[in-house]
Amino acid sequence: MTRKKPDIESGEDRLIARYFRPLALNPGALALADDAAFLMPPDGHELVVTTDAIVAGMHFFPADPAAAVASKALRVNLSDLAAKGAEPAGFVLALGLPDIRPRWLEAFARQLAADARTYACPLLGGDTVKTKGPLFAAVTAFGTLPRGMMVKRSGAKAGDVVMVTGTIGDASLELHLRRKASPKWKVSRAAATHLAQRYLYPEPRCALTLAVRRCASAAMDISDGLAGDFSKLCRVSGVSAEVEIGKVPLSSAAQSALAAAPKLIETILTGGDDYEIVCTIPPQYLDQFRALARDAKVAVTAIGRIVVGKAPPRFVDAKGIPRSFMRRSFSHF
Amino acid sequence: MTRKKPDIESGEDRLIARYFRPLALNPGALALADDAAFLMPPDGHELVVTTDAIVAGMHFFPADPAAAVASKALRVNLSDLAAKGAEPAGFVLALGLPDIRPRWLEAFARQLAADARTYACPLLGGDTVKTKGPLFAAVTAFGTLPRGMMVKRSGAKAGDVVMVTGTIGDASLELHLRRKASPKWKVSRAAATHLAQRYLYPEPRCALTLAVRRCASAAMDISDGLAGDFSKLCRVSGVSAEVEIGKVPLSSAAQSALAAAPKLIETILTGGDDYEIVCTIPPQYLDQFRALARDAKVAVTAIGRIVVGKAPPRFVDAKGIPRSFMRRSFSHF
């Protein structure tokens, strides 16, 4: 059997050309027509690299909108870059597809393009593979910052103020709602919309990048729950902390939930998917940090203080009594 | 319910600490205890980035040794770097696991460590996620080279000599053997071992990196079959080519197969998984390329020549008759 016109383009090539080439605007991406991309940090800068994968049925629901899957895949990585004080420089995507659904792929690629523009983080390359299992999207994102300026988890010192961005617990309350047949509190329509939006479209705090880089002694993004993630920061920094649960910033939706079902504080503090930043600010930088955050239009809230010690941070209630958690952070394993 | 000792470490943290932290020897990896890694190309150098994912049941057999899965995941990416003329600088790994099998993970991590050492490509970071589907491993690898020196697919010019490394078709013959109940040729024990080894442990031609960078006008690695991949190179370069099928280098195992079943030439030329380099060398660099390849102990073979034109390259037999293929390259889609 022969063909008059050899099919030079494989199915994967066509898929890439159709859906992803329009996103590859950066010259280093070589229009996704090469084996690799090139990338050059500005002089005196270094590269920050992070990778996070999301899997259907684990990190999102298979029926979630394609746009939400695209946003989550990229934004969870941008959140890491922001927490490290790095400006986005580009990303690559390894996409595992159980099948080819053109409408799904179009919506996925459209949102990925929109996010790449919004966060100035162009697609540099990728790989599209078939899987017999659930869809997965593994993004590796690159950021740049002046040499040696990456904000680590390890720099917190006793006396530093513990700050978090945005509000905590919205995404985990949404997950709670989706998993339970009937919620334990009356959820208004506005609250339901808010919580769903927060779960589906995490907001990486890229606007706060400079403030974190200039002012934070340590920082990380909150993906597996504030309690557990902040415990990791303290451990790596060799310090302890006291956090006032009552100061943890909550959306009005989360406040309503908590008022009706106080036990939800556990879900809020340990559920994860927040993609907010928790960072530690030495007192002398506090005013500057607040000012830069105000300019960046990102809400920041002081929730506690770093103290000397090796014990995990204490989360204390209004009476000063430390609260224990069944688990401090979310894990699929 | 409370616990005396809070479980700060999640299952994923323990898994990373146990299996992958020992691999994170590079200071930029921060012992895998941070959100991100940092990486600095030497002054005057740029970064080359490539990503390739492999999925059980697609790119390897679920029962393949864990060590082979580790090697394939990393080496298919190193092969891209070598073809671009870039020295390995590090990699990140997104690993999707259906379950935790300690012996499998130990063997996987051990081989990954061995390969990272062999190819001087340290683990910088990663993400370990659970999946309800088949295991997947998405590697993003980084290489460095002097600014502007990346060898692209697009530089081939009429008159350039087409060269390939190593031998072609071994891995696709192994795949052919695994898929058919009885092969069409008598496979000796030595041949069977050779073909299996070539399929399980691709050999990235990192030793040829400098030769490619100094001498090649265009290059790519062969993952989806020589015929199809080289057609892509010609198309992006805006040229055609004439390749003599009889000159394509074959192992003795592949020669035996072909002697017994001449139709296997199609499998050999289009089956893929070769992870050899096909490149085009301007005549004035040919001697230098051969000398550098000899020093690097990598076999290189001239198989044809670039010609003016837009048609896909012609693969001609001993009588000069062009051969057609049912398909030019392998695709899962």
Side-chain angles (χ1 to χ4, degrees):
Chain A
M1 184 187 152
T2 59
R3 283 188 191 174
K4 282 264 166 62
K5 194 180 173 194
D7 61 333
I8 302 169
E9 287 220 323
S10 71
E12 188 192 342
D13 291 328
R14 278 192 296 269
L15 194 159
I16 290 167
R18 177 162 178 192
Y19 299 108
F20 296 111
R21 189 158 299 153
L23 279 71
L25 301 171
N26 192 290
L30 298 165
L32 308 184
D34 213 301
D35 305 81
F38 60 88
L39 179 64
M40 191 153 45
D43 281 334
H45 283 58
E46 67 189 6
L47 212 76
V48 172
V49 180
T50 184
T51 189
D52 266 319
I54 61 171
V55 180
M58 289 290 159
H59 306 89
F60 60 93
F61 288 78
D64 282 348
V69 179
S71 278
K72 195 170 276 191
L74 180 56
R75 294 180 185 187
V76 300
N77 283 280
L78 294 174
S79 176
D80 283 318
L81 293 183
K84 302 292 103 184
E87 311 281 350
F91 73 102
V92 297
L93 166 71
L95 185 62
L97 296 172
D99 47 30
I100 304 289
R101 286 180 288 153
R103 285 179 61 181
W104 193 95
L105 277 164
E106 265 159 38
F108 180 88
R110 198 182 313 120
Q111 180 70 19
L112 202 61
D115 276 8
R117 267 195 308 275
T118 301
Y119 298 104
C121 191
L123 179 67
L124 293 176
D127 189 23
T128 312
V129 296
K130 195 166 162 60
T131 173
K132 285 173 189 158
L135 187 143
F136 67 83
V139 165
T140 303
F142 313 104
T144 59
L145 42 64
R147 213 164 273 188
M149 294 296 283
M150 184 173 125
V151 182
K152 305 190 181 75
R153 291 183 184 175
S154 56
K157 295 271 182 299
D160 291 354
V161 178
V162 182
M163 308 280 294
V164 294
T165 59
T167 59
I168 299 298
D170 295 320
S172 58
L173 288 173
E174 168 68 10
L175 194 59
H176 183 86
L177 284 178
R178 287 180 175 219
R179 283 187 174 152
K180 308 263 172 184
S182 57
K184 289 182 179 166
W185 76 101
K186 196 175 165 335
V187 187
S188 73
R189 197 160 166 174
T193 305
H194 171 81
L195 297 179
Q197 184 71 12
R198 292 279 287 160
Y199 175 78
L200 291 171
Y201 297 92
E203 272 187 62
R205 299 303 181 182
C206 297
L208 207 68
T209 298
L210 191 66
V212 169
R213 195 160 78 216
R214 286 215 184 137
C215 307
S217 53
M220 69 185 293
D221 85 323
I222 307 168
S223 52
D224 297 332
L226 172 62
D229 283 347
F230 182 59
S231 296
K232 291 175 200 174
L233 185 150
C234 286
R235 192 178 39 172
V236 176
S237 288
V239 296
S240 189
E242 188 143 314
V243 171
E244 290 178 60
I245 293 173
K247 288 193 175 167
V248 173
L250 302 181
S251 66
S252 61
Q255 285 171 26
S256 308
L258 193 60
K263 280 191 174 173
L264 286 171
I265 191 65
E266 173 119 11
T267 300
I268 289 168
L269 295 179
T270 70
D273 280 347
D274 295 295
Y275 301 105
E276 298 291 353
I277 295 173
V278 57
C279 58
T280 56
I281 309 290
Q284 67 271 28
Y285 290 116
L286 205 53
D287 288 344
Q288 190 189 354
F289 182 71
R290 288 190 195 277
L292 287 168
R294 202 161 41 234
D295 292 349
K297 297 185 175 58
V298 176
V300 294
T301 308
I303 60 167
R305 212 170 258 275
I306 298 293
V307 299
V308 171
K310 297 282 178 196
R314 296 178 354 138
F315 282 73
V316 300
D317 65 17
K319 294 171 190 157
I321 299 168
R323 159 109 205 179
S324 298
F325 303 106
M326 283 170 64
R327 56 169 197 206
R328 288 210 165 211
S329 63
F330 184 81
S331 174
H332 288 293
F333 290 111
Chain B
M1 183 186 150
T2 58
R3 283 188 189 174
K4 282 263 167 62
K5 192 179 173 194
D7 60 335
I8 301 170
E9 287 219 325
S10 72
E12 187 191 343
D13 291 329
R14 279 192 295 268
L15 195 159
I16 290 168
R18 176 161 179 193
Y19 298 109
F20 296 111
R21 187 158 299 155
L23 278 72
L25 301 171
N26 192 291
L30 297 166
L32 307 184
D34 213 301
D35 306 79
F38 61 88
L39 180 63
M40 190 152 48
D43 281 333
H45 283 58
E46 66 190 5
L47 211 79
V48 173
V49 180
T50 185
T51 188
D52 266 319
I54 61 171
V55 180
M58 289 290 158
H59 307 90
F60 61 92
F61 289 79
D64 282 349
V69 179
S71 279
K72 196 169 275 192
L74 179 57
R75 293 180 185 188
V76 300
N77 284 280
L78 294 174
S79 177
D80 283 317
L81 293 182
K84 303 291 101 183
E87 311 282 350
F91 72 103
V92 297
L93 165 70
L95 185 63
L97 296 172
D99 47 30
I100 303 290
R101 286 180 288 154
R103 284 180 61 181
W104 193 96
L105 277 164
E106 263 160 38
F108 180 89
R110 197 183 311 119
Q111 181 70 17
L112 202 62
D115 276 9
R117 265 195 309 275
T118 300
Y119 298 104
C121 191
L123 179 67
L124 292 176
D127 189 25
T128 311
V129 295
K130 195 166 162 65
T131 173
K132 285 171 190 161
L135 187 142
F136 67 84
V139 164
T140 302
F142 312 102
T144 58
L145 41 66
R147 216 165 271 189
M149 294 295 284
M150 183 173 125
V151 182
K152 306 191 181 76
R153 292 183 184 175
S154 57
K157 295 271 181 300
D160 291 355
V161 177
V162 182
M163 308 281 296
V164 293
T165 59
T167 59
I168 300 298
D170 295 320
S172 57
L173 288 172
E174 168 69 8
L175 195 57
H176 183 85
L177 284 178
R178 286 179 176 220
R179 282 184 173 155
K180 309 265 173 182
S182 57
K184 289 181 176 165
W185 77 100
K186 196 176 165 337
V187 188
S188 72
R189 195 159 167 175
T193 304
H194 171 80
L195 297 179
Q197 185 72 11
R198 291 279 287 159
Y199 174 78
L200 290 171
Y201 296 93
E203 272 188 60
R205 299 304 182 182
C206 297
L208 208 67
T209 298
L210 191 66
V212 169
R213 193 159 80 216
R214 286 213 183 140
C215 306
S217 53
M220 69 186 293
D221 85 323
I222 307 169
S223 52
D224 297 332
L226 173 62
D229 283 346
F230 183 57
S231 296
K232 290 176 199 173
L233 184 150
C234 287
R235 194 180 36 173
V236 176
S237 289
V239 296
S240 188
E242 188 143 317
V243 172
E244 292 179 59
I245 292 172
K247 288 192 174 167
V248 173
L250 302 181
S251 67
S252 60
Q255 286 171 25
S256 309
L258 192 60
K263 281 189 173 175
L264 286 171
I265 191 65
E266 173 120 11
T267 300
I268 289 167
L269 295 179
T270 70
D273 279 347
D274 295 296
Y275 301 103
E276 298 290 354
I277 295 174
V278 58
C279 58
T280 58
I281 310 290
Q284 67 271 27
Y285 291 117
L286 206 52
D287 288 346
Q288 192 190 353
F289 182 71
R290 286 189 195 279
L292 287 169
R294 202 162 38 237
D295 293 349
K297 297 186 175 59
V298 177
V300 293
T301 309
I303 59 167
R305 211 169 259 274
I306 297 294
V307 298
V308 172
K310 297 282 179 195
R314 294 175 359 134
F315 283 74
V316 301
D317 66 17
K319 294 171 189 155
I321 299 168
R323 159 109 205 181
S324 297
F325 303 106
M326 285 172 64
R327 56 170 198 206
R328 288 207 165 213
S329 63
F330 183 81
S331 174
H332 287 293
F333 289 111

